[in-house]
Structure formats: C-alpha cells, structure tokens
Amino acid sequence: MLQIPFIRDNKDRIIANLAKRNIDATDMISEVLTLDETRRSTQAQLDNTLAEANTLSKEIGMLFKSGETQKATILKGKSANLKELSKELTETLNDASEALNQLLYKIPNVPNDTVPAGSTEDDNEEIFRAGDIPTLYDGAMPHWELAKKYDIIDFELGNKIAGAGFPVYKGKGARLQRALIAYFLDKNTAAGYTEYQLPHLVNEASGFGTGQLPDKEGQMYHVTADNLYLIPTAEVPGTNIFRDVVLNESDLPIGITGYTPCFRREAGSYGAHVRGLNRLHQFDKVEILRVEHPDNSYEALDGMVAHVKSILEDLKLPYRILRLCGGDLGFTSALTFDFEVFSTAQDRWLEISSVSNFETFQANRLKLRFKNKDGKNELAHTLNGSSLALPRVLAGILENYQTEEGIVIPDALVPYTGFSIIN
C-alpha cells in the first residue's frame, strides 16, 4: 500500500496519476490525510496524557511516603481522570488507525509517469515486436484440435476429474510441458536467479502482503477449513519469503525463481477466446522475482524484460511487448510490460508474461526493509515476471510449429524433450 508520508508530499501527483486508472481519488486521498491528521494528533495527545499520568503517579508515591495523605488522595482523583482519558484516546487512536489502514488497502498503486492513460487492453501501447509469423499449410488447426489429433492433451478427461479448465497432459504433451519447465528454470538460474521450491497454499497474511487480498479475493480458491488460499502465482509465496525482514543494503539485489502450479477461479470467463489452453483454472508457470534498491529497480525491470525476450527468441516465437495503460494495470503495479505471442492458427495475440515493478507498494505491506548506508531502515522495491506461463507458450508452439508431418519441437527444447517432433 502507499506510504502516508508519500501521500502527504505528493497529493496532487497521486490524484493525477490515479486518474490514468480511471479513478477519481480526490475524496479518498483527502480522507486518508484527514484520518492521518486525527491519528497523529490523537497519538500526540495520548503521549502527553500518559507522560502526565506517569509523572503524577511518581508524585503520589512520594506524597504517601512523606505522610501527605490528603494531597495524595486529591491527586489520585486526577490520576483516575487521566487514566480514563488515556483509555478514550487509545480507542480513538485504534479506530482512526484501523479506518486508515482499511482505506489504504483499497487504493491501488500509483502508475509510473510513463504509463499511458486508457480504459481497456485496446489502449495498451505496443513498444516492441520481433519474430516472423509463419505461413501455415492449408488445414492448419488451433491447438485444441491438434491436442486431440495427436492425443497429447485431454480436456474432456480433465473436465471429468475436476471440471472445465483443468486439462490432462499425456505422453509427449506431458513431456513437452516438463521440458518447458526445466528449460525456463535453467535459463533463469543461468541468469543469476536462485531456484526455490515454494508452497502451493498461503495464509491470509501472505495474500495481503503481495496485494492479492482484498483485491482479488473472488479469484482465489479458498480452503475455508484452514483459512488457506491456493496460490494464483508463485509471486505470492516467493515475495512473502521477505515479509517482516530487514536486509542489509549489501544483500541487494536478490533474485529468485520458482516453478509452481497456479490456481485461478477466473469467474465469469467464457467464449471462444478461452477455449483450450487460452484460459485455465490450473496451469503451470515459472516466475522470476527481484528485491532491489529503489535507485536500481527500473534498471532491473529493463533487465527482466530483456531476459524474457531472450527466452522467446530462443524458442523462435513471434512476439510483441506492450506497456499497459492505466485501466489495464494490475492493482499493485506501478509499471507493467506484457509479452504476447502470435497464434497463427487462431489469428490472435496470446499473453504469456507480465513483468512488473511494484516499487514500495508491496514492501510497505510486507514490512520488507533494508538498512541503508546511513543505518536507517528503508523500504525495498519488489519486482516480478512470468518466465514463463506455460499454457499459451505451449499453445503458441503447437500452432506455430505445426506441419503436415507433425508438430516440430523448437531446437532449444529438443535436449529437454528427447524428441524433435510430435506425430
């Protein structure tokens, strides 16, 4: 969430930039500042009251010791009034602090100045495009038909076992899926990221720490008996490694990577655009996360973008990069670049990665700090990116690499699959 001093010092900029999200934050920001003033003035009054009560308590003790019982009794009455006042002030302080926190939880991150204004994905800004779109043979198929033809993904069997959006990978389809995971992890660790195996369920504090709660509560699977949530992305358990941690400045930067299944309810998703692997309730993803010094986080973001580009170039998939507009920007992000691969068989772009800088937004919730060179605690910046989400990468490979003889495996993956064609 946003920091109070940042809001006090940047009120007009915050309101202007939140307008890029199509949010009129004037009243919310004014209410934040009013509650903050109430909280601070009440805290000052409470501190003075407690200090006065402490001084009075010592004075009463000395009066009793010296035998001045009458004076001590009079002061005891005043002391009781101060205790009652401190109780009232504490309640007022707690109420103001709780109201302030609840309001701050509802305010999204402030978009970076480079984020374009806009309402929908149609307003996103294309900043890069690479790769040749292949010319397919007559009769080329979308991936869900290829999956059935070559018996590599069974959507009906997944529907029988769990429901729609839970595919079953078979034979060479399963091996290709495993190959992609291993390849992505190897690319990430070679780039300096430390591999982690992470829990697939998280507690409520972890969901709040990275901003999934309360914003995306309806999109998460909730294990109510234990009050745990199935993860929508490895970002949640991975970033929460650093919750309530104070790092040394010399520890930075930190980069981690991990493979996890991801679970998303995707309530309300329907239509042709969600067929096959295009949108699932359970899917595999390899993630990269960074904890950075605030001075270096945008350079690190550029490095993450370049890293994802290198993977797509290895796979020889046609892709483009979009700078998301304010209306399409995630709740916690200050700046996000989306990667999309082109599906020739579907004649559409498929999102396969989001790379984001959250600046201090998550770190403030997480209490993720580092001790700077002056010895003071300072909030770090957090970043994350898909490297990569498997379903649409797999769809892109199946569709763009299909031939009349079968589906050719990209050269970079052959050492991982052990075969060069699915036929």
Side-chain angles (χ1 to χ4, degrees), residues 352-416:
I352 46 84
S353 176
S354 289
V355 182
S356 303
N357 189 345
F358 307 111
E359 297 184 354
T360 60
F361 193 84
Q362 288 182 334
N364 194 28
R365 289 183 175 219
L366 294 160
K367 295 184 173 59
L368 164 53
R369 296 152 292 172
F370 68 96
K371 200 168 289 293
N372 64 25
K373 59 185 66 176
D374 297 324
K376 296 180 179 178
N377 287 344
E378 184 177 345
L379 290 174
H381 279 196
T382 61
L383 304 91
N384 91 279
S386 312
S387 181
L388 291 166
L390 271 73
R392 293 173 187 170
V393 172
L394 185 58
I397 290 172
L398 296 180
E399 294 178 359
N400 290 326
Y401 277 86
Q402 63 179 302
T403 69
E404 292 182 273
E405 290 73 38
I407 300 164
V408 177
I409 302 300
D411 291 341
L413 295 178
V414 172
Y416 293 89

Side-chain angles (χ1 to χ4, degrees), residues 70 173 238 240 288 306 333 364:
Q70 188 174 0
N240 272 277
I288 49 175
S333 177
N364 194 28

Side-chain angles (χ1 to χ4, degrees), residues 89-293:
L89 289 170
T90 298
E91 291 176 356
T92 301
L93 178 63
N94 290 340
D95 289 345
S97 297
E98 178 62 20
L100 180 59
N101 282 332
Q102 290 303 316
L103 184 57
L104 288 171
Y105 279 136
K106 296 176 183 177
I107 301 174
N109 203 354
V110 179
N112 181 273
D113 291 339
T114 63
V115 171
S119 302
T120 69
E121 61 184 22
D122 295 331
D123 299 314
N124 294 335
E125 177 187 355
E126 182 177 324
I127 62 169
F128 185 82
R129 185 181 291 208
D132 297 324
I133 295 174
T135 301
L136 300 180
Y137 63 95
D138 290 339
M141 305 175 185
H143 68 269
W144 53 86
E145 293 182 12
L146 292 167
K148 188 171 185 178
K149 176 180 179 179
Y150 294 109
D151 195 25
I152 54 175
I153 308 172
D154 195 324
F155 295 100
E156 289 76 16
L157 184 56
N159 190 43
K160 170 188 173 182
I161 296 168
F166 296 89
V168 174
Y169 300 86
K170 302 165 62 178
K172 287 186 174 180
R175 288 174 65 183
L176 178 55
Q177 183 87 340
R178 177 158 51 93
L180 281 165
I181 293 168
Y183 163 70
F184 292 154
L185 287 171
D186 283 352
K187 284 286 289 188
N188 296 345
T189 54
Y193 292 90
T194 301
E195 184 178 349
Y196 278 70
Q197 286 193 350
L198 298 160
H200 301 164
L201 292 97
V202 293
N203 55 30
E204 196 170 65
S206 294
F208 272 97
T210 45
Q212 276 67 35
L213 298 176
D215 178 55
K216 293 182 174 65
E217 192 164 12
Q219 293 295 322
M220 296 173 73
Y221 287 98
H222 188 194
V223 183
T224 54
D226 302 296
N227 197 26
L228 295 173
Y229 293 84
L230 275 72
I231 60 170
T233 166
E235 170 199 340
V236 183
T239 310
N240 272 277
I241 291 170
F242 305 100
R243 176 157 44 93
D244 298 318
V245 169
V246 179
L247 301 164
N248 293 314
E249 188 167 349
S250 59
D251 295 329
L252 303 176
I254 296 171
I256 72 172
T257 185
Y259 152 71
T260 64
C262 303
F263 304 89
R264 300 184 186 180
R265 293 185 62 238
E266 298 287 5
S269 294
Y270 57 91
H273 69 289
V274 300
R275 287 195 67 179
L277 298 172
N278 288 349
R279 185 159 298 175
L280 301 174
H281 292 305
Q282 178 182 329
F283 61 95
D284 293 317
K285 183 152 67 83
V286 176
E287 199 82 354
I288 49 175
L289 311 167
R290 297 193 71 83
V291 180
E292 290 280 347
H293 190 288

